[in-house]
Amino acid sequence: MKLDILPVTNPKPGLSEETDLAFGRTFTDRMFVMQYDTGKGWHSARIEPYGPFSLDPAAMVLHYSQEIFEGLKAFRRPDGKVALFRPSDNVTRFNLSAQRMCMPEVDNEFFLDAILKLVQLESDWVPFSEGTSLYIRPTMIATEAMLGVRPADQYLCYVILSPVGAYYKGGIAPVKIWISDHYVRATQGGTGEAKTGGNYAASLYAAKEAAENGYDQVLWLDAKERKYVEEVGSMNMFFLYDDKIVTSPLRGTVLDGITRRSVLTLCKEMGYDIEERALTVDEVMEGIGNGRLKEAFGTGTAVVISPVGSFCYKGESVSFNNGDPGELTMKLYKTLTDIQYGRKADPHGWVTIL
Ligand SMILES: *Cc1c(COP(=O)(O)O)cnc(C)c1O
């Protein structure tokens, strides 16, 4: 398939106050788009000016949420070049989500090349300031106009880009985590492993409850027993428990995070024992007091590593010392961001430089 590149008709002023960029509100001049029709396959791939789509009100995505997405970042390196972090892993996961949602897969190589081409054309939008990056959002939606429930015969796949400010301004700040004892995110056999919009719509109610109680994020328990901690809204969870690294296994209820994968590799290299097992909520709540739980942090593309300062479960709250981020948490944050921004060698071949 060929990729058409259309001229930008109405360029925006570009980046001004880099450090004030709010997450996901500013978009660049161009986007990648391609269409799918059953029988014809993917076609009409192009990079065109960023702008609204025209959708039929009966478009299936608007009714039954046949939608998937991805999130990855491009980083500005000290030499001015731009690099993406493990982009082919995101393309592979995009196709796994597509399979689960009965959507057509994309050609891995073509789609990865299209993303790289788009970022290259928009590379002026990759900010320079410390901690900033260009967030990349591949998306696929069912566009066929039909109110029956079945996989659609028409799709739109697109990629938009958003320059984002430093997640942590004025130092890495621990988050307050609300453990939901009632609402759940994913069940075995459900869609928890797919990056599909419906999972996030379903999570909003508990997130609102957390916010009303002064907490930043929801930590989900397993749906069956409400006993084991699984993951946070858009982060996998890690615990330094009995001096081992403990994180939930991938059993279909937890998203297979690329940051999770990277952190597991780094922890192994640092010599830690790793246990992919589900910690119980009691181990978490009692662990700080009895000294077995030394650190907890979340991992995800947006935050990279997010230290946890406190947990609240059934009205009881526990906090780490002064709420300061742990030593290992900070070391992992530095190691991973040094690789992403090209301040350190990349022995694992994680970085694709444009
Ligand atoms: C995207 C996401 C993550 C983090 O995945 P990364 O590949 O590390 O960005 C974790 N949990 C959920 C539910 C997610 O949607």
Side-chain angles (χ1 to χ4, degrees):
M1 195 178 13
K2 76 177 190 352
L3 175 61
D4 284 332
I5 297 179
L6 287 82
V8 173
T9 41
N10 210 351
K12 296 169 186 164
L15 284 172
S16 49
E17 283 304 313
E18 292 195 349
T19 45
D20 284 344
L21 286 165
F23 181 82
R25 286 199 181 273
T26 307
F27 299 95
T28 72
D29 289 323
R30 296 174 173 93
M31 61 183 177
F32 167 82
V33 183
M34 64 178 171
Q35 285 155 263
Y36 180 93
D37 288 83
T38 298
K40 197 171 172 191
W42 288 108
H43 62 90
S44 311
R46 69 243 182 219
I47 289 174
E48 63 180 26
Y50 183 96
F53 296 124
S54 167
L55 277 186
D56 193 290
M60 289 166 93
V61 64
L62 302 176
H63 301 271
Y64 311 119
S65 300
Q66 211 189 356
E67 188 267 2
I68 57 166
F69 68 94
E70 267 303 325
L72 65 158
K73 279 177 173 174
F75 301 92
R76 183 72 70 179
R77 298 167 71 84
D79 63 2
K81 287 189 179 150
V82 170
L84 278 72
F85 186 71
R86 308 188 76 168
S88 64
D89 288 30
N90 292 89
V91 172
T92 303
R93 192 171 65 189
F94 192 62
N95 276 334
L96 289 174
S97 297
Q99 275 175 23
R100 180 66 182 83
M101 304 314 289
C102 299
M103 300 172 90
E105 288 179 46
V106 299
D107 182 272
N108 286 55
E109 206 177 317
F110 178 84
F111 195 48
L112 177 59
D113 284 349
I115 292 171
L116 298 180
K117 183 77 201 166
L118 176 66
V119 174
Q120 193 156 41
L121 286 168
E122 298 290 72
S123 59
D124 284 353
W125 287 91
V126 183
F128 284 83
S129 312
E130 171 91 32
T132 61
S133 58
L134 184 71
Y135 186 78
I136 305 166
R137 171 52 63 90
T139 311
M140 194 195 300
I141 57 173
T143 51
E144 186 189 354
M146 216 279 281
L147 294 181
V149 180
R150 60 151 170 78
D153 280 325
Q154 291 174 327
Y155 297 89
L156 195 65
C157 175
Y158 59 94
V159 182
I160 54 176
L161 307 175
S162 175
V164 294
Y167 194 86
Y168 299 107
K169 301 172 186 87
I172 184 164
V175 288
K176 295 176 69 184
I177 299 277
W178 176 261
I179 305 179
S180 179
D181 61 354
H182 180 69
Y183 301 103
V184 294
R185 190 191 88 92
T187 56
Q188 265 172 357
T191 56
E193 215 169 18
K195 247 177 143 68
T196 181
N199 288 342
Y200 304 84
S203 74
L204 297 177
Y205 199 91
K208 196 173 89 163
E209 188 182 68
E212 281 165 5
N213 285 280
Y215 285 78
D216 304 309
Q217 302 261 1
V218 177
L219 173 56
W220 303 100
L221 299 181
D222 74 287
K224 202 168 164 190
E225 300 180 71
R226 307 279 198 287
K227 182 175 167 191
Y228 299 101
V229 298
E230 294 204 317
E231 66 172 325
V232 169
S234 55
M235 298 193 294
N236 295 108
M237 278 299 299
F238 282 81
F239 301 92
L240 181 60
Y241 192 84
D242 282 345
D243 296 318
K244 292 182 186 131
I245 301 290
V246 183
T247 191
S248 288
L250 303 174
R251 296 183 303 186
T253 53
V254 166
L255 196 100
D256 183 0
I258 294 160
T259 320
R260 175 186 184 277
R261 247 177 252 170
S262 310
V263 163
L264 283 174
T265 300
L266 294 176
C267 286
K268 259 175 227 159
E269 286 172 1
M270 289 173 183
Y272 282 96
D273 285 336
I274 312 246
E275 275 186 5
E276 288 190 59
R277 71 162 177 108
L279 220 53
T280 66
V281 65
D282 292 338
E283 283 176 309
V284 172
M285 293 304 289
E286 289 160 16
I288 297 179
N290 65 25
R292 295 177 72 178
L293 178 59
K294 296 210 175 69
E295 299 184 29
F297 57 91
T299 66
T301 294
V303 295
V304 190
I305 309 263
S306 178
V308 175
S310 61
F311 294 100
C312 182
Y313 176 64
K314 290 190 171 174
E316 189 199 337
S317 164
V318 290
S319 306
F320 288 99
N321 274 348
N322 328 311
D324 287 339
E327 204 177 306
L328 171 65
T329 306
M330 291 308 292
K331 188 170 169 194
L332 286 167
Y333 179 79
K334 184 167 187 319
T335 307
L336 199 49
T337 52
D338 279 350
I339 294 173
Q340 290 175 330
Y341 285 93
R343 293 185 294 252
K344 224 185 197 161
D346 166 34
H348 314 92
W350 287 340
V351 164
T352 301
I353 301 174
L354 294 182

